[in-house]
Amino acid sequence: MKKLTKIHLIITLLALLAVTSCSNRQQKLQAFADTDGYNYADSVVSDIGDARDYPRLLEVTDSFVNTGDLTPVRAIFYKTIAYNLMGQHRKSLQMYYQLAMIDVKTLTSQADVESYIYSYKDYVRVLCDMKRYDRALREAYSADRKLRNAGYDSFINHHDIAQIIGECQLYLGQEKEAARSYEKSLQGVQMRLNSFHDPLDYRECQKTMNAIAKTYIHTKRYKEAIPWIERQDSLFTIADKHPQRDSVFIDEMKADINYSKALLAHALGHPVEAERAFATYQSTAAAQKLGNIISSNEYLMLTHRYDDAVRNYAKLEQFLKESGYKADLEAIGRYILPKYRANLLAGHRDSALYVANLVAEYYDTALVRQKAIDAELISTIYDTEGKERQIAEQRAKLSQQRLISGVVVMVIILIFFHIYSMQRRRAYRKLDATNHELMLANERAEESSRMKTKFIQQISHEVRTPLNVLSGFSQVLATPDIEIDNVELKDISKKIVENSERITKLVDKMLDLSMINSNADIECTDTVSPASVAQKAVAESGIEKAAHLDFELQIADEVKDIHIKTHQKSAVKALTLLLDNAIKFTHPLAFRGRTKKNAKEHVTLTISSTQHEAIFTLEDTGIGIPAEQAKNIFTEFVQLDEYSDGTGIGLSIARSLARHMKGDIILDTSYTEGARFVMSLPLEQ
């Protein structure tokens, strides 16, 4: 490959648009005429670019392609630059996909080769920014192979491209390969500065070195970042003393270097030095640009300046609009979720909840948009019959999945954010205690996230299973001319009722959980006997009908004439949930390898009293609960057996109901024959 010297002219005139534009059209046309392959069309496009009229640039570029004055590869180069400067990154990405269709051997001029190389470089850069590191490396190596096969030198040795490849390798854990790529990048920087000394060259080389330093910082390899920042300082000193000193470039270099210094100093535990560097960064004009205001939130969040970050994120909507971002997964992950976290940590709970709801609204649209983008990428690059069939199958699976679980997923997402916000609100009440408590709160939040993920999966299963049963039997009953005898019809009716009740119970549990988390008061105005509460709970649970166990209700004589003042429905519900738990985890003896004829497990509910409380003691001979898990068993979404059915919220709801009624439920860890739960409710005074 040639030395690519002519590319500095096209980059200077069009891509960066920061150097003073040429005022004499004839001089510019002559400059293009002296290059290999550039012509009058390039001059016109460059003039429009200098005027920053990007919509017209796109229109004129297309017209020149139609007349044959511009080749397709140069059109891709100009149009992707325009789209990127307009913030329409998705459109530029679609243009980059067309590079795979270009045969490098058909590129006959240096202008076309340079346009191909720099378009591919920008393509790889976009993929890297989107964190598609595997894809970025594949595209880089593919371009390198195509250029070598066509007789050109290596694509991946250019300092910009080597830096991008090193970044991808570092994020993929390929540290040695990344170090070699960064060494190639440094060699490319040195070769460029040995031959060129324009302000643009200093700025471009500094940007490359700064990107390397920030990648090392973000991957927590701080020692490796130090020499790259020192190299930038040296380059900045030279650029600042340049006879043709460019104030815009100097300001941008100063901003880049000091922001990286602030990140590194903070990571190394030097807060005073970090604040000094960040203050220098904020004093630059570059720091006041909208994109940099949003980007600086990384440092503000690291240094716990959450209120400052919230003020910056107030401009996020304007930034997304000007940058052309849509409601896609990239925008959600890169901008909206960090805004949610900033509001949450700053204590702006209402704003955080608003952003959380916004994420929920965007998610489905973003998922569909992302699937469409991925499908378009596959279709463009691998335009074969086999790939089209795979895409059709993927779309069919996506449609089927959305048809089955779309409504359920949306409901679960809303419940998820509601429960999450409630839990975070409770956690924030304890943040003012000590730093140790803050660490514990963070650990609980991480565990909560894991449990809620499991909860969403479990809820989907719990809803889908009975729905499938109801759907199947409904189709059977709706089939014309089908003959069903009375026995089969009775069995179908039974299963329909059972699965309908299963869904109803699940919805009731979710409503109970939502009511409990909302701290709604339970008015204890019912005067009832403990025996009647127990008898109703036994009836609702159906434990007496369980074929695999023997159930016994024992009522002490002293409680037959006493009463409790409570909320009868909630008391029955709490005891019913304990009985349901006993039915579920008291397996038939055959599960334990016992084969004694007619032998069954036992469940006993004993009602007694103390001076102030009615005591409901439920003992079973089931699988039991390890003592070390006693503190976790009442936590929402916790299941000791992750392979069992259920949502992991029954015991949590039961204890919460009891506590709302001034009582409690505990696990007696001294009992070793199974599990023993004790529910207490206050007596009528």
Side-chain angles (χ1 to χ4, degrees):
M1 185 166 52
K2 299 179 182 180
K3 296 298 183 180
L4 303 179
T5 58
K6 302 298 193 301
I7 198 63
H8 296 86
L9 178 59
I10 194 67
I11 293 295
T12 302
L13 295 176
L14 178 60
L16 299 176
L17 298 177
V19 185
T20 303
S21 61
C22 182
S23 59
N24 190 316
R25 176 180 294 271
Q26 186 61 34
Q27 291 178 354
K28 182 180 291 186
L29 184 58
Q30 183 61 39
F32 277 109
D34 291 340
T35 61
D36 184 5
Y38 294 107
N39 56 29
Y40 172 75
D42 298 282
S43 175
V44 173
V45 171
S46 178
D47 283 335
I48 299 173
D50 288 340
R52 294 167 172 76
D53 189 354
Y54 304 123
R56 185 163 176 266
L57 186 150
L58 296 171
E59 181 182 350
V60 170
T61 299
D62 286 336
S63 67
F64 279 138
V65 171
N66 293 333
T67 60
D69 294 311
L70 281 180
T71 59
V73 69
R74 298 222 299 282
I76 292 174
F77 176 55
Y78 291 136
K79 293 177 71 172
T80 51
I81 289 176
Y83 281 132
N84 286 329
L85 291 173
M86 294 168 66
Q88 299 179 12
H89 305 295
R90 290 299 181 193
K91 290 187 177 180
S92 66
L93 192 61
Q94 293 172 356
M95 293 294 299
Y96 289 137
Y97 296 162
Q98 300 177 23
L99 291 171
M101 310 302 295
I102 294 177
D103 186 356
V104 181
K105 295 180 181 180
T106 63
L107 304 179
T108 57
S109 68
Q110 181 180 341
D112 286 351
V113 173
E114 290 175 344
S115 297
Y116 181 86
I117 291 172
Y118 276 82
S119 294
Y120 241 114
K121 183 205 74 172
D122 292 339
Y123 180 23
V124 175
R125 173 79 268 170
V126 169
L127 291 173
C128 184
D129 290 340
M130 295 172 65
K131 304 186 187 306
R132 298 186 177 185
Y133 304 120
D134 283 328
R135 182 80 193 171
L137 287 177
R138 286 198 301 270
E139 292 297 337
Y141 294 145
S142 174
D144 187 65
R145 183 177 61 255
K146 292 177 182 178
L147 287 165
R148 288 178 183 272
N149 291 340
Y152 299 101
D153 293 338
S154 175
F155 167 73
I156 61 178
N157 285 340
H158 188 271
H159 69 84
D160 280 352
I161 300 167
Q163 172 264 311
I164 299 170
I165 292 174
E167 182 175 340
C168 294
Q169 291 168 331
L170 200 57
Y171 279 118
L172 291 173
Q174 303 171 11
E175 297 183 35
K176 294 182 179 179
E177 293 83 351
R180 286 194 291 268
S181 296
Y182 285 156
E183 185 60 29
K184 288 182 180 180
S185 181
L186 181 59
Q187 293 173 3
V189 166
Q190 292 169 343
M191 290 177 60
R192 178 170 182 174
L193 295 179
N194 287 338
S195 302
F196 304 99
H197 309 285
D198 290 333
L200 173 64
D201 297 297
Y202 291 116
R203 171 57 174 151
E204 287 297 300
C205 291
Q206 178 269 324
K207 285 169 62 178
T208 296
M209 292 188 288
N210 191 61
I212 295 174
K214 290 185 71 173
T215 303
Y216 274 129
I217 293 172
H218 289 151
T219 55
K220 299 182 180 180
R221 295 170 175 84
Y222 308 121
K223 182 179 179 181
E224 290 84 350
I226 295 174
W228 291 99
I229 291 182
E230 292 174 349
R231 292 184 181 110
Q232 291 182 74
D233 276 334
S234 301
L235 194 60
F236 176 82
T237 301
I238 297 173
D240 196 34
K241 296 179 180 179
H242 193 279
Q244 298 177 346
R245 180 182 183 277
D246 188 298
S247 59
V248 174
F249 286 163
I250 292 298
D251 181 82
E252 292 174 348
M253 292 172 71
K254 181 179 179 181
D256 281 354
I257 296 170
N258 280 281
Y259 188 75
S260 296
K261 285 182 177 179
L263 292 177
L264 181 59
H266 171 76
L268 295 175
H270 303 150
V272 176
E273 184 179 343
E275 283 300 306
R276 187 185 306 118
F278 187 70
T280 303
Y281 160 76
Q282 287 187 308
S283 68
T284 63
Q288 309 311 314
K289 293 182 179 179
L290 189 56
N292 289 334
I293 290 174
I294 301 300
S295 298
S296 65
N297 282 335
E298 177 189 6
Y299 176 84
L300 296 176
M301 294 294 288
L302 288 173
T303 54
H304 307 299
R305 292 163 60 175
Y306 304 127
D307 286 325
D308 291 342
V310 168
R311 282 192 290 272
N312 284 354
Y313 273 129
K315 303 177 182 179
L316 179 60
E317 184 175 354
Q318 177 187 354
F319 168 74
L320 295 177
K321 182 178 181 181
E322 293 180 2
S323 300
Y325 280 99
K326 305 296 183 183
D328 56 16
L329 296 179
E330 182 182 356
I332 292 174
R334 184 182 292 186
Y335 299 111
I336 301 179
L337 285 179
K339 179 178 180 179
Y340 164 76
R341 183 168 176 266
N343 278 279
L344 199 62
L345 294 175
H348 301 169
R349 300 181 182 86
D350 292 340
S351 298
L353 185 58
Y354 169 79
V355 178
N357 289 329
L358 192 63
V359 173
E361 293 175 4
Y362 282 178
Y363 179 79
D364 190 56
T365 301
L367 184 61
V368 174
R369 186 188 301 275
Q370 190 64 46
K371 292 291 185 180
I373 291 171
D374 291 341
E376 182 178 1
L377 171 62
I378 295 173
S379 176
T380 304
I381 298 178
Y382 304 102
D383 190 13
T384 64
E385 182 177 352
K387 292 298 178 181
E388 290 177 354
R389 183 169 57 254
Q390 291 180 9
I391 294 172
E393 292 173 354
Q394 291 174 357
R395 288 176 176 172
K397 291 179 181 179
L398 177 62
S399 299
Q400 183 181 13
Q401 180 181 2
R402 293 185 64 207
L403 180 63
I404 295 174
S405 61
V407 176
V408 176
V409 169
M410 289 304 299
V411 172
I412 291 173
I413 289 175
L414 292 175
I415 295 174
F416 165 83
F417 279 107
H418 173 70
I419 296 175
Y420 183 82
S421 63
M422 299 302 296
Q423 289 184 333
R424 295 298 294 178
R425 183 178 301 173
R426 291 199 300 268
Y428 265 89
R429 294 169 184 165
K430 302 178 182 178
L431 287 178
D432 295 332
T434 61
N435 288 334
H436 178 67
E437 290 181 355
L438 177 59
M439 293 175 62
L440 292 178
N442 286 337
E443 291 175 0
R444 287 195 297 272
E446 292 175 0
E447 179 64 15
S448 174
S449 178
R450 186 194 71 79
M451 290 188 297
K452 280 188 285 293
T453 300
K454 177 65 171 60
F455 168 68
I456 291 175
Q457 296 171 348
Q458 200 70 27
I459 282 291
S460 298
H461 171 73
E462 288 290 311
V463 173
R464 190 182 297 114
T465 299
L467 283 179
N468 287 339
V469 173
L470 294 175
S471 176
F473 283 128
S474 298
Q475 293 177 16
V476 169
L477 295 174
T479 302
D481 302 326
I482 189 170
E483 296 182 0
I484 302 176
D485 58 34
N486 291 333
V487 176
E488 291 178 337
L489 184 59
K490 183 177 181 181
D491 184 58
I492 290 174
S493 300
K494 179 181 178 182
K495 286 184 170 57
I496 290 176
V497 172
E498 288 175 349
N499 284 276
S500 297
E501 291 177 349
R502 183 174 177 181
I503 294 177
T504 301
K505 288 182 178 180
L506 177 62
V507 172
D508 286 343
K509 281 187 178 181
M510 296 304 300
L511 292 175
D512 289 336
L513 181 63
S514 177
M515 182 272 291
I516 292 168
N517 284 331
S518 67
N519 293 322
D521 292 332
I522 296 180
E523 296 184 1
C524 297
T525 58
D526 300 325
T527 301
V528 296
S529 66
S532 67
V533 170
Q535 290 164 355
K536 289 184 179 180
V538 168
E540 289 190 13
S541 68
I543 193 170
E544 292 179 316
K545 300 178 182 179
H548 66 284
L549 55 82
D550 286 328
F551 173 73
E552 182 179 2
L553 175 62
Q554 299 179 353
I555 303 175
D557 292 336
E558 70 268 14
V559 301
K560 292 182 178 180
D561 297 324
I562 66 174
H563 293 82
I564 57 177
K565 194 164 185 74
T566 185
H567 186 272
Q568 184 177 9
K569 182 178 180 181
S570 297
V572 172
K573 173 61 73 67
L575 189 55
T576 300
L577 290 172
L578 293 179
L579 291 168
D580 288 342
N581 192 71
I583 296 172
K584 180 178 178 181
F585 293 106
T586 307
H587 301 309
L589 288 173
F591 281 45
R592 300 189 185 184
R594 303 179 188 174
T595 57
K596 185 177 179 180
K597 187 176 181 181
N598 298 326
K600 295 184 179 182
E601 297 286 10
H602 297 278
V603 176
T604 303
L605 175 59
T606 303
I607 307 175
S608 59
S609 67
T610 65
Q611 184 177 358
H612 302 290
E613 294 177 318
I615 306 298
F616 301 82
T617 304
L618 183 65
E619 296 178 353
D620 64 52
T621 57
I623 62 176
I625 300 170
E628 62 272 14
Q629 293 292 342
K631 64 180 181 180
N632 296 324
I633 195 65
F634 292 104
T635 303
E636 293 174 0
F637 318 126
V638 167
Q639 288 182 288
L640 300 185
D641 182 3
E642 295 188 354
Y643 297 98
S644 64
D645 292 335
T647 58
I649 60 176
L651 291 178
S652 174
I653 293 174
R655 188 174 69 169
S656 296
L657 288 172
R659 290 182 173 180
H660 274 75
M661 295 181 290
K662 310 302 182 183
D664 202 358
I665 295 177
I666 63 171
L667 172 68
D668 185 354
T669 56
S670 65
Y671 181 74
T672 59
E673 296 299 319
R676 175 190 286 161
F677 289 93
V678 180
M679 183 175 81
S680 59
L681 293 175
L683 297 177
E684 182 182 24
Q685 299 299 324

